[in-house]
Amino acid sequence: EPEVTQTPSHQVTQMGQEVILRCVPISNHLYFYWYRQILGQKVEFLVSFYNNEISEKSEIFDDQFSVERPDGSNFTLKIRSTKLEDSAMYFCASSEEGGGYTWVGYNEQFFGPGTRLTVL
Amino acid sequence: SQQGEEDPQALSIQEGENATMNCSYKTSINNLQWYRQNSGRGLVHLILIRSNEREKHSGRLRVTLDTSKKSSSLLITASRAADTASYFCASQGGSEKLVFGKGTKLTVNP
């Protein structure tokens, strides 16, 4: 069964360093997402991406964050200058369709196993 | 904003019993999805129920949706020790993002 994959599984970095988290969405999916989960807290939406551009982003997704689909298979999240509070589990997800329909939309989002980011 | 909130926060049952988890949300939705997360691991999609559906089944899972009360429930029948995990509801309205609740931590004792 197709699945979303993420690398690395665990990334340790020093505060102020740049990190790139990588994801390979399910191959026929068109919509891609990043979420994060700080330890013990809710899963939070960061950004959605469709047709090579950001379609929606949250307040968390500030100028320190960027996303890219550098080729036909990878989807990356870059944090330019990491802060201690960026420590979290970062999940990539993908779906066949988006959710912003006026009719009853169908948007099953499939998540990857996550990358645990630790900022020291 | 939409916000899924599950209750109870923690549930401990014996193997073979049924487990019921509830979720509430605040605004209108297109669909509501339930996920499972084993400790420190990824999110596994369990089931999606659309706003025009009232009940849905998948194996031992039964999900209900009451849009008038803005609530949903997940029932796991004949639970097994392997069902031990955290369960989250996530609501989706007129945009792509899912809004997750805090989750219910289910422990199934052998």
Side-chain angles (χ1 to χ4, degrees):
Chain A
E1 187 173 330
E3 56 183 21
V4 177
T5 59
Q6 290 185 243
T7 53
S9 57
H10 192 186
Q11 174 93 44
V12 181
T13 190
Q14 295 291 326
M15 193 169 58
Q17 294 295 303
E18 174 183 287
V19 294
I20 298 176
L21 310 182
R22 301 179 194 280
C23 167
V24 179
I26 294 172
S27 62
N28 64 333
H29 285 185
L30 301 177
Y31 292 80
F32 314 115
Y33 313 87
W34 284 101
Y35 291 80
R36 79 172 186 191
Q37 185 181 32
I38 295 172
L39 188 63
Q41 297 188 23
K42 294 182 183 184
V43 175
E44 302 173 290
F45 169 79
L46 293 178
V47 66
S48 59
F49 190 85
Y50 170 70
N51 200 25
N52 282 320
E53 60 183 26
I54 291 173
S55 50
E56 187 176 359
K57 61 182 180 179
S58 72
E59 297 167 351
I60 303 167
F61 195 88
D62 61 21
D63 292 343
Q64 292 299 310
F65 292 89
S66 62
V67 290
E68 193 178 32
R69 187 149 164 86
D71 53 43
S73 60
N74 290 283
F75 180 51
T76 62
L77 174 69
K78 182 193 289 185
I79 309 176
R80 272 182 257 287
S81 177
T82 50
K83 304 170 190 162
L84 295 176
E85 54 265 36
D86 294 328
S87 293
M89 182 77 95
Y90 286 80
F91 293 107
C92 173
S94 68
S95 68
E96 288 183 286
E97 300 175 6
Y101 297 114
T102 55
W103 55 279
V104 180
Y106 179 79
N107 183 1
E108 208 169 46
Q109 293 186 21
F110 294 93
F111 282 70
T115 293
R116 182 167 297 283
L117 177 65
T118 303
V119 182
L120 302 176
Chain B
S1 61
Q2 300 166 0
Q3 187 169 15
E5 296 288 347
E6 292 92 338
D7 74 84
Q9 290 186 338
L11 180 62
S12 182
I13 59 173
Q14 294 299 121
E15 214 166 19
E17 293 180 341
N18 296 340
T20 299
M21 289 159 271
N22 302 299
C23 165
S24 63
Y25 56 91
K26 293 187 178 179
T27 62
S28 62
I29 59 170
N30 280 339
N31 65 66
L32 189 137
Q33 304 182 41
W34 284 89
Y35 289 84
R36 164 197 167 122
Q37 184 181 38
N38 287 65
S39 180
R41 307 289 293 276
L43 295 160
V44 176
H45 191 278
L46 295 177
I47 198 164
L48 176 151
I49 187 164
R50 303 179 193 184
S51 62
N52 63 349
E53 296 175 315
R54 292 297 166 258
E55 188 171 311
K56 205 160 181 181
H57 297 255
S58 176
R60 292 184 296 113
L61 305 180
R62 174 179 168 249
V63 168
T64 62
L65 180 65
D66 186 336
T67 52
S68 66
K69 295 181 180 176
K70 292 187 169 59
S71 67
S72 173
S73 68
L74 171 67
L75 168 68
I76 304 174
T77 60
S79 63
R80 305 166 182 167
D83 295 328
T84 295
S86 290
Y87 292 83
F88 297 88
C89 70
S91 57
Q92 185 176 47
S95 73
E96 288 87 357
K97 71 178 181 185
L98 291 175
V99 179
F100 281 81
K102 292 180 182 176
T104 293
K105 188 170 183 180
L106 174 66
T107 303
V108 182
N109 301 299

